[in-house]
């Protein structure tokens, strides 16, 4: 058995070209993610003149589209049968829509910019463009990342594969981020806009370059991994399921109106048991009592007025229920996956806030000018280079779970340290951190950001490969090979809660009365009062530490060991799709 496992592992080793082409496409959603995380809130609020709460609301509303597209793309990219395999048709289809919509996001009509009479127009422009981008980037992002577990089942190689993905994701995001400071900000400096980042004319040109790079990433990875299609797992032909007799009585599309006020079962009289029961009760109230019964009323009305459609409506309802039942089984059958799922939710809350405030902190908290932004942004290129070597090495030596727990615990405290020290300086008049006019500030910030980002990439690339390892573990329980569903649930949760993080960031800015760009220029002479900056740090630090720290605790619930993974991949049942 040991010799067989070693032979399997040897065959699972990947060439550099495979890792390169799998990872290269990450520049596309690296650019998209950086644009949404670091620039879109800043640009629409401080450059285009949209109120912070409206910008946050628009970014949160697009989750309605994500709620439908993410699980559907994951589901169908697992089950599609075509000459181009399960994944590639979706990847090719994404290229042009994502490219065009990303460009238009940064190019609103002139009459919408800084015009108090067209605020609603700018709001809906942001909402529509962002929705189109998020829908079509899903067509690429989920199928492309789902290729990974099929390309290799090797424990260490999967971490290496994910580290390449993070390397190019950061490379793409950093390059477009740094282009602002390298080229565009100096180019668009004027007497009115002493820092070019605040000039509305900058962003359409930047958006065009970023959009073309997104197109390049999608096309290169799609073509570069195309040769692997014959070696990938093919799903079986789908059999049409007949509607069981009892279903028609429970269907919402009949002319009998029945309400459901089901209560959760298995109440355990302990603190944790009562807490879990209360959470279940809230979910039951929202999804079964409220949403479920509203849908029953809608179905009753529809069936009453359109009786000749009842059979078709019931067939559609049965298909949707079966789909959700399969998806729910895949996502809830494995304990380790559930822990990583909730870990991702907590990470995304903090990550959304962290990203939304990044440019604001750089601009007003540290008061970095464009040249300093350039130096600091350039230094970050070291981080993914460090991580691409260390992530697989640490996973191999210490195991994935221990690597994540150790590196992440350090990174959480280390990331917050400069902000905590500066908060103490602003509030109590201490001198714990270099002042903004100190020659030591920039070197300290550069060293900090390189170590912080490298640690983050090691953590999240390792966690990505931990999800890859669960594919076979779950497959042995369900009989289905569903990488797309597993990754789509994570990406939707990430987007959903990061959207909440962006919204919360907008609310915090409004709550602490953070001034807009015009007030900063005309009232405060280009600076923000120290009391407001201290308030911003006071909100930012504990939210991030608590959210990231809680996520770290969730990782302890991951139980798949390396030995168990080796047993799973040696099982021939993981090489074929055996379920319906």
């Amino acid at each position: 058995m040991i010799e067989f496992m070693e032979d399997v592992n040897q065959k699972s080793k990947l060439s550099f070209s495979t890792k390169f082409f799998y990872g290269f496409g990450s520049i596309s959603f690296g650019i998209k993610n950086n644009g949404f995380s670091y620039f879109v809130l800043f640009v629409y609020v401080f450059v285009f003149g949209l109120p912070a709460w409206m910008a946050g609301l628009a970014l949160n509303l697009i989750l309605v589209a994500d709620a439908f597209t993410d699980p559907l793309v994951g589901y169908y990219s697992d089950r599609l049968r075509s000459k181009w395999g399960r994944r590639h048709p979706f990847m090719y289809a994404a290229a042009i829509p994502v490219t065009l919509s990303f460009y238009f996001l940064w190019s609103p009509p002139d009459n919408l910019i800084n015009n108090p009479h067209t605020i609603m127009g700018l709001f809906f422009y942001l909402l529509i463009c962002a929705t189109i981008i998020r829908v079509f980037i899903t067509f690429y992002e989920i199928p492309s990342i789902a290729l990974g577990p099929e390309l290799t089942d090797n424990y260490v190689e999967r971490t290496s594969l994910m580290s390449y993905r993070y390397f190019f994701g950061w490379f793409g995001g950093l390059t477009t981020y740094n282009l602002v400071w390298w080229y565009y900000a100096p180019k668009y400096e004027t007497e009115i806009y002493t820092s070019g980042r605040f000039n509305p004319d900058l962003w359409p040109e930047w958006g065009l370059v970023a959009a073309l790079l997104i197109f390049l990433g999608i096309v290169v990875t799609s073509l570069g991994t195309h040769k692997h299609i014959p070696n990938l797992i093919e799903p079986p032909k789908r059999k049409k399921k007949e509607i069981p007799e009892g279903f028609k009585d429970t269907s919402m599309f009949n002319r009998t109106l029945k309400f459901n006020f089901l209560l959760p079962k298995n109440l355990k009289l302990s603190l944790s048991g009562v807490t879990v029961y209360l959470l279940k009760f809230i979910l039951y109230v929202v999804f079964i009592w409220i949403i479920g019964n509203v849908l029953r009323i809608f179905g009753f009305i529809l069936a009453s007025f359109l009786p000749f459609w009842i059979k078709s409506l019931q067939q559609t309802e049965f298909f949707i229920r079966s789909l959700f039942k399969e998806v729910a089984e895949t996502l809830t059958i494995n304990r380790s996956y559930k822990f990583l799922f909730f870990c991702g939710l907590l990470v995304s809350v903090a990550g959304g806030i962290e990203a939304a405030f990044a440019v604001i902190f750089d601009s007003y908290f540290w008061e970095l000018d464009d040249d300093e932004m350039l130096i600091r942004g350039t230094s970050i290129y070291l981080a993914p280079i460090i991580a691409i070597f260390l992530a697989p090495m640490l996973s191999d030596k210490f195991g994935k779970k221990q690597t994540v727990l150790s590196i992440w615990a350090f990174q959480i405290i280390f990331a917050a340290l400069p902000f905590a020290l500066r908060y103490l300086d602003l509030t109590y008049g201490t001198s714990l951190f270099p002042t903004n006019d100190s020659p030591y500030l920039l070197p300290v910030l550069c060293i900090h950001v390189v170590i912080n980002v490298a640690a983050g990439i090691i953590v999240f690339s390792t966690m990505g490969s931990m999800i890859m390892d669960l594919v076979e573990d779950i497959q042995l329980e369900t009989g289905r090979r569903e990488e797309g569903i597993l990754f789509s649930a994570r990406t939707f949760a990430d987007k959903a809660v990061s959207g909440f993080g962006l919204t919360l960031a907008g609310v915090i800015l409004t709550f602490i009365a953070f001034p807009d760009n015009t007030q900063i220029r005309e009232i405060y002479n280009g600076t923000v009062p120290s009391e407001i900056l201290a308030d911003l740090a006071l909100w930012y630090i504990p939210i991030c530490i608590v959210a990231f720290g809680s996520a770290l605790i969730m990782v302890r619930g991951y139980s798949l060991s390396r030995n168990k993974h080796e047993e799973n991949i040696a099982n021939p049942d993981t090489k074929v799709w055996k379920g319906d």
Side-chain angles (χ1 to χ4, degrees):
M1 177 63 76
I2 293 175
E3 290 179 358
F4 175 72
M5 288 182 181
E6 289 177 352
D7 184 54
V8 168
N9 288 339
Q10 191 64 35
K11 291 178 181 178
S12 301
K13 292 291 178 73
L14 296 176
S15 65
F16 169 77
S17 64
T18 297
K19 294 179 182 179
F20 174 87
F21 284 121
Y22 176 77
F24 186 82
S26 291
I27 69 169
S28 300
F29 51 84
I31 293 169
K32 186 274 296 180
N33 286 348
N34 268 36
F36 271 76
S37 298
Y38 296 106
F39 286 141
V40 73
L41 186 66
F42 172 80
V43 170
Y44 269 82
V45 173
F46 294 101
V47 181
F48 294 161
L50 188 65
W53 71 269
M54 292 183 75
L57 177 62
L59 295 172
N60 213 34
L61 286 175
I62 60 177
L63 299 173
V64 175
D66 287 335
F68 291 97
T69 57
D70 281 33
L72 285 175
V73 170
Y75 181 87
Y76 281 108
S77 77
D78 285 333
R79 288 160 173 77
L80 181 66
R81 291 171 59 89
S82 77
K83 64 179 182 180
W84 286 353
R86 296 192 287 172
R87 317 293 182 189
H88 284 75
F90 293 94
M91 294 161 64
Y92 287 121
I96 293 177
V98 171
T99 302
L100 292 177
S101 55
F102 193 85
Y103 166 70
F104 284 114
L105 175 68
W106 309 97
S107 310
D110 291 341
N111 67 315
L112 297 182
I113 297 174
N114 292 314
N115 185 345
H117 302 294
T118 58
I119 290 295
M120 288 305 297
L122 186 61
F123 170 80
F124 282 109
Y125 185 89
L126 169 60
L127 180 63
I128 293 169
C129 287
T131 299
I132 295 172
I133 293 168
R134 293 278 282 258
V135 166
F136 282 99
I137 199 67
T138 297
F139 275 60
Y140 171 70
E141 185 173 357
I142 291 172
S144 67
I145 195 171
L147 281 172
E150 293 187 86
L151 293 176
T152 181
D153 53 21
N154 182 279
Y155 184 81
V156 178
E157 286 290 279
R158 282 182 168 175
T159 303
S160 179
L161 202 60
M162 286 302 297
S163 66
Y164 271 79
R165 196 169 185 86
Y166 274 82
F167 172 85
F168 283 106
W170 273 90
F171 185 87
L174 280 173
T175 299
T176 49
Y177 178 88
N178 286 330
L179 274 175
V180 174
W181 321 117
W182 286 339
Y183 178 69
Y184 290 112
K187 177 182 178 181
Y188 283 95
E189 285 180 1
T190 66
E191 291 183 4
I192 298 175
Y193 302 105
T194 53
S195 177
R197 77 190 90 162
F198 296 101
N199 190 333
D201 295 334
L202 179 156
W203 296 100
E205 188 175 337
W206 176 87
L208 176 62
V209 172
L212 292 174
L213 290 173
I214 286 175
F215 180 81
L216 178 67
I218 292 175
V219 170
V220 167
T221 282
S222 300
L223 293 174
T225 56
H226 197 100
K227 66 180 180 180
H228 293 283
I229 292 173
N231 302 320
L232 304 179
I233 290 175
E234 184 178 35
K237 291 181 179 180
R238 296 288 290 174
K239 298 177 182 178
K240 185 177 180 180
K241 295 182 179 179
E242 297 296 328
I243 299 177
E245 284 297 323
F247 178 80
K248 295 179 181 180
D249 297 329
T250 62
S251 171
M252 69 179 187
F253 294 110
N254 59 46
R255 282 179 270 186
T256 303
L257 183 58
K258 296 178 182 178
F259 292 106
N260 188 349
F261 293 99
L262 187 68
L263 289 171
K265 299 177 181 179
N266 302 323
L267 170 62
K268 295 181 180 179
L269 296 178
S270 64
L271 179 60
S272 61
V274 172
T275 302
V276 170
Y277 187 86
L278 287 174
L279 290 172
K280 287 182 179 179
F281 179 75
I282 293 171
L283 292 174
Y284 272 54
V285 169
V286 173
F287 290 102
I288 296 178
W289 292 18
I290 299 177
I291 297 176
N293 287 324
V294 167
L295 289 174
R296 288 175 184 276
I297 294 172
F298 172 76
F300 171 75
I301 295 171
L302 206 60
S304 298
F305 284 95
L306 301 170
F308 48 88
W309 279 10
I310 288 179
K311 185 175 181 180
S312 297
L313 290 170
Q314 288 180 342
Q315 287 175 336
T316 303
E317 181 189 3
F318 178 70
F319 167 74
I320 293 173
R321 283 197 189 186
S322 300
L323 184 154
F324 276 99
K325 185 178 179 181
E326 276 189 19
V327 171
E329 181 189 29
T330 300
L331 298 180
T332 60
I333 201 169
N334 187 279
R335 181 175 179 271
S336 293
Y337 181 81
K338 286 186 282 188
F339 274 103
L340 290 188
F341 179 83
F342 286 109
C343 169
L345 291 180
L346 292 165
V347 166
S348 296
V349 172
I353 297 171
E354 190 176 56
F357 286 159
V359 177
I360 297 172
F361 274 122
D362 287 348
S363 301
Y364 303 115
F365 199 78
W366 307 122
E367 294 181 322
L368 301 180
D369 60 30
D370 291 345
D371 290 337
E372 290 169 326
M373 291 274 206
L374 168 62
I375 295 170
R376 184 167 175 265
T378 304
S379 69
I380 302 176
Y381 281 108
L382 293 172
I385 296 173
I386 294 169
I388 201 171
F389 293 107
L390 282 184
M393 185 186 306
L394 293 172
S395 293
D396 190 23
K397 185 173 179 62
F398 301 107
K400 296 179 182 180
K401 179 178 176 179
Q402 190 56 49
T403 296
V404 170
L405 290 173
S406 302
I407 300 295
W408 205 0
F410 160 77
Q411 193 246 356
I412 290 170
I413 302 302
F414 186 74
L417 191 59
F419 300 95
L421 296 177
R422 175 56 62 86
Y423 170 77
L424 294 174
D425 291 348
L426 290 171
T427 306
Y428 300 105
T430 55
S431 300
L432 300 174
F433 201 76
T435 58
N436 288 353
D437 57 359
S438 168
Y440 299 107
L441 177 68
L442 184 60
V444 169
L445 290 179
C446 288
I447 294 170
H448 176 267
V449 76
V450 170
I451 296 173
N452 185 44
V453 171
I457 295 174
I458 292 170
V459 167
F460 295 114
S461 61
T462 305
M463 284 181 63
S465 72
M466 289 163 72
I467 294 176
M468 286 186 177
D469 293 343
L470 290 174
V471 168
E472 291 85 8
D473 207 43
I474 294 172
Q475 183 185 3
L476 290 173
E477 297 185 75
T478 66
R480 301 186 298 271
R481 182 88 181 190
E482 297 176 305
E483 301 95 333
I485 288 177
L486 295 176
F487 281 107
S488 70
R490 278 294 307 275
T491 55
F492 170 67
D494 290 349
K495 287 187 284 189
V497 186
S498 66
F500 172 74
L502 287 170
T503 303
L504 183 57
V507 171
I508 291 172
L509 291 176
T510 302
F511 182 78
I512 66 175
F514 199 93
D516 60 30
N517 191 35
T518 302
Q519 292 173 320
I520 293 170
R521 284 202 315 265
E522 298 179 0
I523 299 176
Y524 298 114
N525 297 319
T527 62
V528 176
S530 59
E531 312 86 62
I532 295 178
L533 294 175
D535 288 342
L536 182 62
L538 185 60
W539 279 90
Y540 172 78
I541 296 166
I543 289 175
C544 287
I545 289 179
V546 170
F548 282 127
S550 301
L552 174 63
I553 293 172
M554 288 288 175
V555 177
R556 295 182 63 85
Y558 184 89
S559 59
L560 181 64
S561 67
R562 183 171 186 169
N563 288 338
K564 177 61 177 173
H565 170 69
E566 302 289 359
E567 290 177 13
N568 287 345
I569 63 175
N571 189 326
D573 287 345
T574 61
K575 310 307 176 190
V576 294
W577 183 307
K578 299 188 73 174
D580 284 338

